[in-house]
Amino acid sequence: MVTLRPSKPVAGSQILSYGAARGELVVTNDDIAGPIDSSDEWIRRRTGIVTRKRAGDGVHVIDLAEKASRDAIEKSGLNASDIDTVIVSTISFEYQTPSAATLLAARLGIEDAVAYDISAACAGFCYAVGQADALVRSSAAKNVLIVGAEKLSDLISPTDRSISFLLGDGAGAAIISASDEPKIGPTIWGSDGEHWDTIRMTHSLLDYRDKPELGFPTLEQDGRTVFRWAVWHTAEIVRKALDEAGLTVEDIDVFVPHQANMRIIDELAKQLKLPESVVIGRDIADTGNTSAASVPLAVHRLLDEGHAKSGDVCVQIGFGAGLAYACQIVVLP
């Protein structure tokens, strides 16, 4: 009987850097309030959003992903040639196949990369962290580029009152590599498929093919259901992640939840009884909800502006369509 030699595991993994790219257009609440019969005051009160960043017509998801990736690579101290795995989380790449990750690897000059996309919407970046952590610790990969990238403005109806006014465009990237000790805690992840259609497309691509009069499918949601689910479930997910990492809320320096709604962020902080010293990501105020890009964009901003620092213990959690969720504790680069 043949005995195969197993891969040699490593002690842990770490995030070397974050990178960011935001849409170049600043879209105010007044800019979008008319078609949804709303107002700046209503949008601020319900969501905490003052402006959102969106990309112009000539900018594509892959362009945002490339910009964020180059930023992360430059800050990591690695060369693009050092990366062997590329994972892109997106729901807004224009092609169902081939993947955005293979195109991104080619644009970055990464040859023979393991490259694939994942579709976990707003949980996507944290899903990618969980996968990259496992790949590195098992020695299946050495240096992994993960990217959450969205151009959600391509998928909205200007008259939709359920979600369109929330959404922005951007990409956040990170490089994950081996570490002498674990700097990424266990990922707590899963989904609540009974609420599969709570955040959804208006109809399928097949429906659009067969009945073009339906129009191109766009995003919509049951906002109240999403809000209640997030408020009641995500705090417990964070507690599980802390417990698995052997930490308590007193050990947290930085808290970055998915930038879905400022009221959800505030309620989570309240339920978790976070100490006043904890820095909370609130990038949604002027970037909007960028789905898979929201967590890395918020972390990048805190680091870039000096509100968070290297070595801080950060809780990051994504949750959204599916309803999928993922959370892990990381030590910031």
Side-chain angles (χ1 to χ4, degrees):
M1 182 176 178
V2 174
T3 301
L4 299 179
R5 182 181 298 169
S7 299
K8 184 179 180 180
V10 300
S13 70
Q14 63 183 326
I15 298 177
L16 296 182
S17 60
Y18 287 86
R22 289 174 170 81
E24 74 278 16
L25 305 177
V26 178
V27 180
T28 69
N29 291 335
D30 288 332
D31 291 334
I32 62 176
I36 62 173
D37 190 25
S38 186
S39 67
D40 172 64
E41 188 275 334
W42 184 89
I43 295 172
R44 290 193 192 213
R45 177 166 48 84
R46 295 294 294 264
T47 71
I49 297 174
V50 179
T51 63
R52 71 280 299 136
K53 298 292 178 60
R54 289 182 178 171
D57 292 339
V59 179
H60 301 276
V61 172
I62 197 68
D63 301 321
L64 295 167
E66 180 181 356
K67 183 177 179 180
S69 298
R70 292 190 182 279
D71 184 25
I73 292 169
E74 180 180 353
K75 291 175 179 174
S76 73
L78 300 178
N79 297 314
S81 58
D82 296 318
I83 295 169
D84 55 17
T85 304
V86 178
I87 304 173
V88 175
S89 176
T90 183
I91 61 168
S92 52
F93 187 49
E94 301 97 315
Y95 301 92
Q96 292 204 295
T97 193
S99 70
T102 54
L103 177 56
L104 178 61
R107 282 196 175 194
L108 296 172
I110 304 171
E111 298 182 358
D112 298 320
V114 174
Y116 60 94
D117 293 355
I118 58 177
S119 178
C122 308
F125 181 81
C126 294
Y127 262 61
V129 172
Q131 292 187 22
D133 170 53
L135 290 169
V136 169
R137 286 190 294 106
S138 67
S139 295
K142 291 183 178 179
N143 300 301
V144 183
L145 167 64
I146 61 174
V147 188
E150 305 287 10
K151 190 182 179 188
L152 299 173
S153 59
D154 285 341
L155 300 177
I156 61 174
S157 166
T159 59
D160 172 69
R161 283 182 57 88
S162 71
I163 197 170
S164 65
F165 59 94
L166 295 168
L167 303 178
D169 303 331
I175 308 292
I176 294 181
S177 301
S179 174
D180 292 335
E181 60 184 33
K183 294 187 178 180
I184 298 176
T187 296
I188 304 301
W189 46 2
S191 64
D192 182 356
E194 290 189 2
H195 292 95
W196 179 85
D197 62 349
T198 304
I199 305 171
R200 58 189 177 271
M201 305 303 293
T202 49
H203 45 269
S204 74
L205 289 173
L206 293 180
D207 291 335
Y208 175 54
R209 181 196 66 185
D210 296 337
K211 297 180 179 179
E213 63 271 18
L214 291 173
F216 189 78
T218 56
L219 284 165
E220 62 182 5
Q221 71 169 346
D222 296 330
R224 291 181 180 178
T225 301
V226 174
F227 185 90
R228 288 196 298 266
W229 187 94
V231 166
W232 287 109
H233 291 274
T234 50
E236 184 57 30
I237 296 165
V238 172
R239 293 188 187 101
K240 289 180 180 178
L242 286 167
D243 186 59
E244 287 294 316
L247 303 176
T248 71
V249 291
E250 300 298 327
D251 297 307
I252 301 172
D253 299 306
V254 182
F255 178 54
V256 180
H258 166 48
Q259 304 293 289
N261 182 305
M262 195 73 79
R263 290 193 299 156
I264 293 175
I265 295 172
D266 291 340
E267 183 61 28
L268 285 177
K270 180 180 178 181
Q271 286 195 30
L272 291 167
K273 299 180 180 179
L274 296 180
E276 291 186 7
S277 60
V278 173
V279 175
I280 300 175
R282 301 182 186 278
D283 191 48
I284 188 173
D286 54 22
T287 299
N289 177 346
T290 53
S291 188
S294 82
V295 167
L297 283 177
V299 175
H300 177 276
R301 182 172 188 168
L302 292 177
L303 287 168
D304 194 51
E305 295 181 352
H307 301 299
K309 62 185 184 302
S310 175
D312 279 352
V313 174
C314 174
V315 176
Q316 50 184 33
I317 178 170
F319 50 87
L323 292 168
Y325 60 85
C327 177
Q328 61 266 135
I329 318 300
V330 304
V331 177
L332 294 180

